[in-house]
Amino acid sequence: MPTALIADDEPNLSAELASRLSRLWPELEIVGQPRNGIDALAELGAKRPDVAFLDIRMPGIDGLKLASLAPYVRVVFVTAYDEYAVQAFEASALDYLLKPISDERLQRCIAKLQRGGWTPPDAATLAAACEARETAPIRWLTVGLKDTTRLVSIDDVLYFQSTDKYTEVITAQQRHVIRTPLKELLPRLDAERFAQVHRGVIVAYAAIDRVERDLLGRLRIHLRGHTDVLPVSRAYVGLFKQM
């Protein structure tokens, strides 16, 4: 069964589109209706729908940027603005629907999606797609607290630190929590920008101000503009062998 996500900051418009899709394409399952780009990115990653109907002007992340962050999803832009059409198709959009959308125009879009076929990919294609997705360097992290989801750029991260059940993401101003363990996170980080320096710590090279030895000869990392001091375990001393 094909699945779809509808992202629009106007809940009435989102509900209307969901209702019309249900009527014109009964087999389609709507798996989410987020109201901003940040929540939409989180749901796209978690639910992996076959197609995403994205408004272009949304709070948090606009639809064009969202499409670039989720290249594994077929995108149909749904907007009241015609000036983004060129950018939309440069982003590999499957279709570009201008509000208000007639049933005839929506039906043509559905036919285009259906012509793409919904048969499951063969094992080799699926494995290749999963490998590409899982090895691509992380650019953004979605972090949550209760009912709020935020987007953190990987450029803002000073270091990651494992806790009992979670991983802390530390930026200059805040500390966030994600569920991804360090051992799964490390392969997705750019090795030229991040290094593991301890079993429970990954640090951004750009965040390091200096590395000092304490009285016992142990290395300690001092961060630029931050009071935290990070340990370097023996297994990773070679990163700083010039000392």
Side-chain angles (χ1 to χ4, degrees):
M1 176 182 290
T3 57
L5 178 139
I6 300 172
D8 197 314
D9 60 344
E10 293 290 341
N12 291 339
L13 296 179
S14 178
E16 180 190 4
L17 179 57
S19 176
R20 295 171 67 189
L21 285 169
S22 178
R23 175 167 51 85
L24 296 172
W25 193 359
E27 299 82 12
L28 184 68
E29 179 186 2
I30 306 298
V31 295
Q33 297 182 57
R35 294 175 58 182
N36 62 70
I38 294 175
D39 287 346
L41 180 61
E43 290 198 35
L44 285 171
K47 298 177 179 178
R48 301 284 176 173
D50 296 304
V51 59
F53 292 86
L54 305 179
D55 191 9
I56 287 185
R57 293 190 179 180
M58 288 188 294
I61 310 174
D62 66 48
L64 292 168
K65 181 65 175 178
L66 184 58
S68 73
L69 295 173
Y72 44 82
V73 178
R74 297 182 182 186
V75 171
V76 173
F77 287 109
V78 184
T79 179
Y81 306 94
D82 60 3
E83 64 263 35
Y84 298 106
V86 173
Q87 292 172 267
F89 288 110
E90 286 178 348
S92 301
L94 193 71
D95 210 338
Y96 190 91
L97 304 178
L98 281 174
K99 303 173 183 178
I101 310 163
S102 67
D103 277 358
E104 180 183 1
R105 180 67 182 89
L106 185 56
Q107 187 67 70
R108 291 205 305 271
C109 175
I110 291 171
K112 186 182 296 186
L113 289 166
Q114 291 173 329
R115 282 198 300 271
W118 300 105
T119 56
D122 59 72
T125 301
L126 184 60
C130 289
E131 182 179 359
R133 183 169 63 241
E134 292 171 359
T135 58
I138 294 172
R139 297 167 58 192
W140 301 88
L141 297 163
T142 51
V143 298
L145 179 62
K146 295 183 179 180
D147 296 327
T148 301
T149 302
R150 297 190 60 189
L151 195 69
V152 175
S153 170
I154 200 69
D155 296 334
D156 295 333
V157 177
L158 303 181
Y159 69 96
F160 299 91
Q161 181 168 297
S162 64
T163 62
D164 290 340
K165 297 182 179 179
Y166 305 100
T167 297
E168 281 192 298
V169 181
I170 293 83
T171 66
Q173 291 81 29
Q174 294 179 303
R175 305 176 82 94
H176 306 282
V177 172
I178 59 175
R179 294 182 179 273
T180 307
L182 285 188
K183 65 180 181 180
E184 294 181 15
L185 189 63
L186 185 61
R188 298 288 311 279
L189 297 172
D190 187 341
E192 294 185 359
R193 299 177 60 189
F194 290 89
Q196 185 164 18
V197 296
H198 186 275
R199 181 179 62 181
V201 178
I202 297 173
V203 65
Y205 285 121
I208 298 175
D209 179 58
R210 65 190 187 278
V211 181
E212 297 181 347
R213 291 187 184 275
D214 64 15
L215 295 176
L216 298 176
R218 297 171 300 191
L219 296 186
R220 294 290 184 265
I221 294 174
H222 295 259
L223 302 175
R224 185 174 292 108
H226 202 280
T227 58
D228 288 359
V229 178
L230 308 179
V232 179
S233 63
R234 291 182 179 180
Y236 303 100
V237 168
L239 291 170
F240 309 100
K241 60 184 178 181
Q242 71 276 14
M243 293 191 62

